[in-house]
Amino acid sequence: MSEKITIYDIAKKLNITAATVSRALNNNPKIKESTRELVIKTAASMNYKQNKLALALKSGRSNNIGVIVPRIDSNFFASVIRGIEEELHPHGYQVIICQTHEDPKRENENLYTLIDAQVDGILMSVTDITNENTGAFHYVLEKNVPLIFFDRSKHIDGVSSVTINDFKGGYITTKHLIDEGCKSIAHFSGDQSLEIFKSRFLGYKQALLDNGITFNEEYVIRTKSSVESGKEAVNALLQLKTPPDAIFSSSDFAALGAIQELKDKNISIPKEFCVAGFSNEPFTKFMELSITSVDQSPLEMGKMSARVFLEQVDKTDTIKIEKKVVLAPELHIRKSSSRSTI
Amino acid sequence: MSEKITIYDIAKKLNITAATVSRALNNNPKIKESTRELVIKTAASMNYKQNKLALALKSGRSNNIGVIVPRIDSNFFASVIRGIEEELHPHGYQVIICQTHEDPKRENENLYTLIDAQVDGILMSVTDITNENTGAFHYVLEKNVPLIFFDRSKHIDGVSSVTINDFKGGYITTKHLIDEGCKSIAHFSGDQSLEIFKSRFLGYKQALLDNGITFNEEYVIRTKSSVESGKEAVNALLQLKTPPDAIFSSSDFAALGAIQELKDKNISIPKEFCVAGFSNEPFTKFMELSITSVDQSPLEMGKMSARVFLEQVDKTDTIKIEKKVVLAPELHIRKSSSRSTI
DNA sequence: TGTTACATTGCAAACGTTTGAGATATAAAT
DNA sequence: ATTTATATCTCAAACGTTTGCAATGTAACA
């Protein structure tokens, strides 16, 4: 049943050689038009399909690209992947996805596996920037496989990245809270070994300074990206001698947790307390008390990463162009921080 | 820089043949222990990496599996993919993802592309069951590549599937609404050419009949899975001579739209009107007025699909085992339909 | 010493394609 | 008629593995 037919089968049928068949199918100009047509026609009639694996082995290119993310079931990463897939699909690339679950070991393992599987490029979001074991990354670079970071990046020579301006995201959000009349603004931060969280924090801090508000170390709390974590954090804040009157959270989930807890304590939002999140998760705009949040345009980020990859691939120049694309964050102001419109 | 080293390089260095190297590395018992150790050691020292493409060409197995979904940036599909990836990763499979955007043409194209890329199996959610052009599916089956449907399935001989019991999902949800005292229950349905929507509708209908409520054709509205569509639909319902007092929606998004519109019209939920959705999207439990919804356990569905694939692969028996796994839906009762707890 | 058995290793084909270099044929130019 | 150029095609190697079969070596046994 369904035996694989190769260019040899076509060649035998037409009494020509496999090389001619190959050239005919690849539109090589050295082939006479009439034979080309004949080959193409009989190839079709014999239901010939090119063996991609053989081609990959011969050419060394698999037409696969690898994408590594912490996890795929998050709106942000799923959207980025969608962008990547949509941009690369027309170019004949298939997308292989890997998850790290925030584990540097898994990250390394995925990198090695992808390279060993001969992918033509790797697009990834780093899990832990402090991980000094950059062996896997250099393994990628040695093999001359384009490597592109998106969102969570790491400074490595010759590696391009597509990120958003997290500093600005933190800045404009904090500024917005100040403009709404908030006097003491707290901050929920993620793991600051990741540059995105560091930058959001610095943007927050700078906005405070620029507006004459003294920075208070006590107001910065390390949270995880979960509702529960947000609840715990806001409770810690409320037990301070001088609790804040606003929160800029690096996570929409933590922001939601804070809001739920504040409501439980009958603290009115946004009148007494304002909250803003980050990522523009779908639920933030669905809530009755919709949540102000920073949009990271994940779809665009994915497409842009893919485009950077396309520029990079095929450039066999040893002079790698290191491209740094920085997208602009967009603050979506909603009820959780809109005192003016009430 | 970084020349590819092959088993021939190792062989040359040790003055043995490549075949021996290959066997040594693959733990073939015909190789003397001492040479095996020697080979392994020098392979490591030379930084040898097996060429997966060559292996794939030789064996005909790529160690890739394809996953086709309508779109990846939906919580449900992303979670299924996560489940698939986590189950298959330990077995050395990589996951290639493709999107159809509900377009049967794209679906066919993806099927052909994946087969041509020599994947070892295809796990997919169908876009349109009425699509009579089953050529691509048979192409897959001819090649003897395991094909497994998840969630949205299609009846094809020899194809396994992993779904949830949508009929039951529709039934228990409707029954729940009846138990809460709702007398006239409307239904938002998706494209009934898809079995999942047909089944949910039938479950809904059956529950009505079993409880002495006459089925009313007017109460069934075809919606898209969007907030906007839900708003339009509920408005249509409210303009009927005898509007319903509850909605069982096949989409959480449409359910949300309905709720927003009902609130706008000052109709109290759940006192005057109950709403229940389907899919258990994250936002349903985050809302202040949390939304009752049917959980489809996507993670479990993904893992189960992967397991079915693993059972199927390697079974070169022409007798294909056609396995139909049906998971149980779980109703998460929340505020939007809980009159009793108020 | 010759035979047998067994453990190791080598040889070469196979997977299906691409591609540089050589071969043949055809036509044009001298 | 001989050379030159060009168009078209064939040969064979290469990509890096795996694997059936043959070959070698060694030890035991008769």
Side-chain angles (χ1 to χ4, degrees):
Chain A
M1 57 194 77
S2 171
E3 288 308 317
K4 292 264 174 70
I5 48 174
T6 75
I7 52 176
Y8 280 95
D9 299 323
I10 301 176
K12 196 176 294 173
K13 186 161 206 165
L14 297 180
N15 267 326
I16 55 179
T17 185
T20 306
V21 175
S22 172
R23 288 198 172 90
L25 293 175
N26 289 322
N27 290 322
N28 187 309
K30 298 193 163 210
I31 298 297
K32 187 162 55 176
E33 193 51 35
S34 61
T35 47
R36 181 198 320 289
E37 283 169 8
L38 185 61
V39 167
I40 291 178
K41 192 163 19 171
T42 53
S45 81
M46 294 177 75
N47 230 315
Y48 165 79
K49 292 280 175 180
Q50 188 189 47
N51 184 320
K52 294 284 166 60
L53 291 182
L55 174 57
L57 173 60
K58 174 66 182 173
S59 67
R61 320 186 65 232
S62 64
N63 277 306
N64 291 143
I65 63 113
V67 175
I68 306 178
V69 291
R71 63 193 171 286
I72 188 195
D73 60 339
S74 104
N75 183 265
F76 175 74
F77 288 121
S79 297
V80 174
I81 294 176
R82 171 177 177 156
I84 293 173
E85 200 273 339
E86 287 178 9
E87 192 75 19
L88 253 31
H89 180 265
H91 293 266
Y93 286 102
Q94 307 266 22
V95 177
I96 294 177
I97 56 163
C98 303
Q99 302 183 99
T100 65
H101 296 291
E102 307 286 5
D103 178 359
K105 288 221 183 75
R106 287 286 296 265
E107 180 169 292
N108 283 345
E109 182 200 329
N110 285 330
L111 283 168
Y112 282 117
T113 311
L114 285 175
I115 291 297
D116 292 350
Q118 238 104 350
V119 294
D120 297 342
I122 296 180
L123 280 58
M124 71 180 297
S125 223
V126 132
T127 77
D128 184 358
I129 201 172
T130 59
N131 180 17
E132 282 304 324
N133 178 16
T134 56
F137 292 106
H138 288 112
Y139 184 56
V140 175
L141 295 177
E142 269 174 22
K143 300 285 179 187
N144 251 299
V145 173
L147 175 62
I148 288 127
F149 292 133
F150 59 85
D151 193 47
R152 303 173 172 192
S153 150
K154 191 164 181 161
H155 292 296
I156 298 182
D157 278 350
V159 180
S160 297
S161 66
V162 178
T163 55
I164 69 158
N165 190 332
D166 285 284
F167 179 90
K168 188 174 175 187
Y171 192 96
I172 60 177
T173 309
T174 308
K175 180 68 164 55
H176 159 70
L177 292 171
I178 295 171
D179 290 347
E180 293 293 314
C182 301
K183 301 301 180 192
S184 47
I185 302 168
H187 176 48
F188 290 174
S189 176
D191 182 352
Q192 295 214 1
S193 70
L194 282 173
E195 197 156 313
I196 52 170
F197 294 120
K198 185 84 178 178
S199 297
R200 292 173 197 176
F201 165 67
L202 291 176
Y204 152 80
K205 201 169 171 180
Q206 190 64 45
L208 293 182
L209 293 181
D210 289 356
N211 290 274
I213 299 180
T214 50
F215 168 70
N216 184 347
E217 189 84 54
E218 278 184 333
Y219 284 171
V220 177
I221 303 194
R222 165 83 165 82
T223 62
K224 295 169 40 165
S225 183
S226 73
V227 176
E228 206 44 53
S229 183
K231 288 186 179 184
E232 291 168 12
V234 77
N235 277 327
L237 286 176
L238 292 176
Q239 280 165 9
L240 292 177
K241 272 165 219 143
T242 55
D245 60 358
I247 295 171
F248 160 48
S249 170
S250 270
S251 153
D252 279 334
F253 293 96
L256 174 61
I259 289 176
Q260 289 180 348
E261 200 68 10
L262 288 167
K263 279 190 164 179
D264 265 14
K265 302 207 182 323
N266 283 317
I267 298 177
S268 145
I269 301 172
K271 204 185 288 180
E272 301 174 59
F273 207 109
C274 288
V275 179
F278 213 104
S279 286
N280 201 19
E281 286 279 337
F283 71 81
T284 57
K285 70 165 171 293
F286 291 156
M287 312 292 295
E288 290 88 333
L289 177 67
S290 56
I291 304 176
T292 294
S293 189
V294 177
D295 187 71
Q296 303 169 279
S297 49
L299 203 70
E300 195 50 43
M301 184 178 285
K303 292 190 178 196
M304 185 60 79
S305 308
R307 270 180 240 133
V308 172
F309 159 73
L310 289 173
E311 286 175 15
Q312 218 111 315
V313 79
D314 285 336
K315 305 274 180 197
T316 43
D317 319 348
T318 23
I319 328 127
K320 276 269 174 268
I321 347 105
E322 184 180 318
K323 196 164 183 174
K324 303 282 183 192
V325 179
V326 180
L327 303 174
E330 198 175 330
L331 181 62
H332 289 235
I333 299 173
R334 302 202 180 93
K335 291 184 187 168
S336 71
S337 71
S338 302
R339 285 171 172 171
S340 10
T341 62
I342 288 191
Chain B
M1 57 195 76
S2 173
E3 288 308 317
K4 293 265 174 71
I5 49 176
T6 74
I7 51 176
Y8 279 95
D9 300 323
I10 301 176
K12 198 176 294 173
K13 185 160 207 166
L14 296 180
N15 268 326
I16 54 179
T17 186
T20 307
V21 175
S22 172
R23 289 195 173 93
L25 293 175
N26 288 322
N27 289 323
N28 187 310
K30 297 190 163 210
I31 298 297
K32 189 163 54 174
E33 193 51 35
S34 61
T35 48
R36 181 198 320 288
E37 282 170 8
L38 185 61
V39 167
I40 291 179
K41 191 163 19 171
T42 54
S45 81
M46 295 178 74
N47 230 315
Y48 166 80
K49 292 281 176 179
Q50 188 188 48
N51 184 321
K52 294 284 166 61
L53 291 182
L55 175 57
L57 172 60
K58 175 66 181 173
S59 67
R61 320 187 64 232
S62 65
N63 277 305
N64 290 144
I65 64 111
V67 175
I68 306 178
V69 292
R71 63 194 170 287
I72 188 195
D73 60 338
S74 104
N75 183 265
F76 176 73
F77 289 121
S79 297
V80 174
I81 294 175
R82 170 177 178 155
I84 293 173
E85 200 273 340
E86 287 178 9
E87 191 76 19
L88 253 30
H89 181 265
H91 293 267
Y93 286 102
Q94 307 266 22
V95 177
I96 294 177
I97 55 163
C98 303
Q99 302 183 98
T100 64
H101 295 292
E102 307 286 6
D103 178 0
K105 288 220 183 76
R106 288 285 297 264
E107 179 169 293
N108 283 345
E109 183 201 328
N110 284 330
L111 283 168
Y112 282 117
T113 311
L114 285 175
I115 290 298
D116 292 350
Q118 237 103 352
V119 294
D120 297 341
I122 296 181
L123 281 57
M124 71 179 297
S125 222
V126 132
T127 77
D128 184 357
I129 201 171
T130 61
N131 180 17
E132 282 305 325
N133 177 17
T134 55
F137 291 107
H138 288 112
Y139 184 57
V140 175
L141 296 178
E142 268 174 22
K143 301 286 178 184
N144 251 301
V145 174
L147 175 62
I148 288 126
F149 291 134
F150 59 85
D151 193 46
R152 302 172 173 194
S153 149
K154 192 165 181 160
H155 291 298
I156 299 182
D157 278 350
V159 180
S160 296
S161 66
V162 177
T163 56
I164 70 158
N165 190 331
D166 285 285
F167 179 91
K168 188 173 176 190
Y171 191 97
I172 59 176
T173 309
T174 309
K175 180 69 163 56
H176 159 69
L177 291 172
I178 295 169
D179 289 347
E180 292 294 312
C182 302
K183 301 300 179 194
S184 46
I185 301 168
H187 176 48
F188 290 174
S189 175
D191 181 352
Q192 296 214 0
S193 71
L194 282 173
E195 197 156 314
I196 52 171
F197 294 121
K198 185 85 178 177
S199 298
R200 292 173 198 175
F201 165 68
L202 291 176
Y204 153 80
K205 201 168 171 180
Q206 190 63 44
L208 294 182
L209 293 182
D210 288 357
N211 292 273
I213 300 181
T214 50
F215 168 69
N216 183 346
E217 188 84 54
E218 278 184 332
Y219 284 171
V220 178
I221 302 194
R222 165 83 164 81
T223 62
K224 294 168 41 164
S225 182
S226 73
V227 176
E228 207 43 54
S229 184
K231 289 186 180 185
E232 291 167 13
V234 77
N235 277 327
L237 287 175
L238 293 176
Q239 279 165 10
L240 293 176
K241 272 165 220 142
T242 54
D245 61 358
I247 295 172
F248 160 47
S249 171
S250 269
S251 153
D252 279 334
F253 294 95
L256 173 61
I259 289 176
Q260 289 179 348
E261 200 68 9
L262 289 166
K263 278 191 166 181
D264 265 13
K265 301 208 181 324
N266 282 318
I267 298 176
S268 143
I269 301 171
K271 203 186 289 180
E272 302 175 56
F273 206 110
C274 287
V275 179
F278 212 105
S279 284
N280 201 19
E281 286 279 337
F283 71 82
T284 57
K285 71 166 169 294
F286 290 156
M287 312 291 296
E288 291 88 332
L289 178 68
S290 55
I291 305 176
T292 294
S293 189
V294 177
D295 187 71
Q296 302 169 282
S297 49
L299 202 70
E300 195 50 43
M301 185 179 284
K303 293 191 176 195
M304 186 59 81
S305 308
R307 270 180 239 133
V308 172
F309 160 73
L310 290 173
E311 286 176 15
Q312 218 112 314
V313 78
D314 286 335
K315 305 274 181 197
T316 42
D317 317 349
T318 23
I319 327 128
K320 276 270 173 265
I321 349 106
E322 184 180 318
K323 195 165 184 175
K324 304 281 184 192
V325 179
V326 180
L327 303 174
E330 199 176 329
L331 181 61
H332 288 235
I333 299 173
R334 302 202 179 93
K335 292 184 186 167
S336 70
S337 71
S338 302
R339 285 173 171 168
S340 9
T341 64
I342 288 195

